[in-house]
Amino acid sequence: MNALAPERTAPFYRPVGQECALFEAAHARGLPLLLKGPTGCGKTRFVEHMAARLGRPLYTVACHDDLSAADLIGRYLLRGGATEWVDGPLTRAVREGAICYLDEVIEARKDVTVVLHPLTDNRRTLMIDRTGEELAAPAGFMLVASYNPGYQNILKRLKPSTRQRFLSISFGFPDPVTETAVVARESGLDAIRVTPLVRLAGHIRALSGMDLEEGVSTRLLIYAASLMADGMPLERALQAAVIEPLTDEPEVIQALRDLISSVYG
């Protein structure tokens, strides 16, 4: 869990549609927003960009199986022999009128959604049972959540009663021209050398759902390009930043190597 103060310059993000305008409209109205898309396609960077652009503090929570409502709201802790209440990131965001981003919210425990519901309708309130406080979210507070639809299963699925409380934006990987520009800018590798890397990513993504759980992310392309920009040989950079992160299966590893050979010759 971490908090970022507003920055003068927003982190780089290249829009692919009207997502920035929709985020601004949602923030102005105090409406919650749900971001859907594969791992590493830019959802977190988008939120960081928009928080800085709007001049709002940002609290980011990486959700996981053990994340409970108390982790978000807060708890009593023993400090210096005395019991003291300590706000969690969601409570701090509400008090400060900040943006709270729940990354991969579907991974959190079910009691988390119970806490979120009053913040995602006309009440815009957070109830802290342990202290008896009921906080009204001020102007500026916004709840943003994300999840990867490809990882949904029977045990982990957003209920309609939760999904229909949010505006929603679907994210995908950028078109090749945009992705090339993003990877080149973030890594420092020239666009001519990035172009075949992005072409390789397109071929790998065509395998996802068959031989791979998910295609290579833009994030991994930036990692690979960064290694190459620092002088690492192509084969070693792709092994470390693309092949190894995607699979442990010998057959799939060989298929990826064959793809690399076909792209690079």
Side-chain angles (χ1 to χ4, degrees):
M1 303 178 189
N2 58 67
L4 292 177
E7 302 176 11
R8 286 188 176 183
T9 303
F12 174 73
Y13 174 79
R14 185 157 181 165
V16 296
Q18 299 298 314
E19 66 270 27
C20 294
L22 180 55
F23 193 106
E24 289 176 341
H27 181 264
R29 286 282 186 172
L31 301 175
L33 185 61
L34 181 65
L35 311 179
K36 304 182 294 182
T39 300
C41 69
K43 300 187 296 295
T44 299
R45 174 60 68 90
F46 170 62
V47 177
E48 292 173 349
H49 172 84
M50 293 306 302
R53 182 163 155 174
L54 293 168
R56 306 308 307 161
L58 173 64
Y59 287 88
T60 297
V61 180
C63 298
H64 52 81
D65 290 341
D66 295 325
L67 186 79
S68 66
D71 294 320
L72 292 179
I73 295 174
R75 50 172 51 90
Y76 284 105
L77 297 177
L78 189 62
R79 289 185 175 178
T83 302
E84 177 184 342
W85 172 261
V86 178
D87 285 340
L90 179 61
T91 302
R92 293 196 294 273
V94 173
R95 291 192 195 278
E96 298 172 19
I99 295 172
C100 184
Y101 174 47
L102 305 181
D103 187 18
E104 296 297 343
V105 66
I106 202 169
E107 298 294 335
R109 284 168 35 174
K110 292 182 179 180
D111 62 335
V112 167
T113 58
V114 176
V115 171
L116 300 181
H117 280 189
L119 281 169
T120 54
D121 58 28
N122 62 299
R123 291 171 289 179
R124 280 176 56 85
T125 58
L126 175 65
M127 185 65 195
I128 307 177
D129 292 333
R130 300 294 298 275
T131 65
E133 287 184 271
E134 185 174 358
L135 302 179
F141 171 78
M142 182 180 181
L143 182 65
V144 184
S146 72
Y147 77 103
N148 182 348
Y151 288 162
Q152 285 199 100
N153 56 42
I154 292 176
L155 297 178
K156 289 186 177 181
R157 185 179 295 274
L158 279 182
K159 294 181 178 179
S161 59
T162 299
R163 288 182 56 158
Q164 292 185 26
R165 292 171 178 271
F166 289 81
L167 297 175
S168 186
I169 303 176
S170 289
F171 280 71
F173 296 113
D175 63 83
V177 173
T178 300
E179 190 163 36
T180 297
V182 169
V183 174
R185 186 190 188 282
E186 293 291 285
S187 67
L189 188 68
D190 63 89
I192 293 176
R193 296 177 68 194
V194 170
T195 297
L197 191 60
V198 170
R199 187 163 65 250
L200 172 65
H203 289 302
I204 294 175
R205 289 164 189 162
L207 295 176
S208 65
M210 296 181 292
D211 299 309
L212 295 171
E213 289 185 0
E214 195 166 271
V216 61
S217 67
T218 302
R219 181 188 299 123
L220 286 179
L221 294 185
I222 293 170
Y223 290 170
S226 298
L227 294 176
M228 293 164 62
D230 288 341
M232 183 174 289
L234 171 69
E235 183 177 345
R236 190 183 304 169
L238 293 180
Q239 180 72 27
V242 176
I243 295 176
E244 294 292 346
L246 288 181
T247 184
D248 296 318
E249 299 296 328
E251 298 85 357
V252 182
I253 288 174
Q254 186 57 52
L256 292 175
R257 287 175 176 160
D258 292 342
L259 274 177
I260 291 170
S261 297
S262 68
V263 169
Y264 283 92

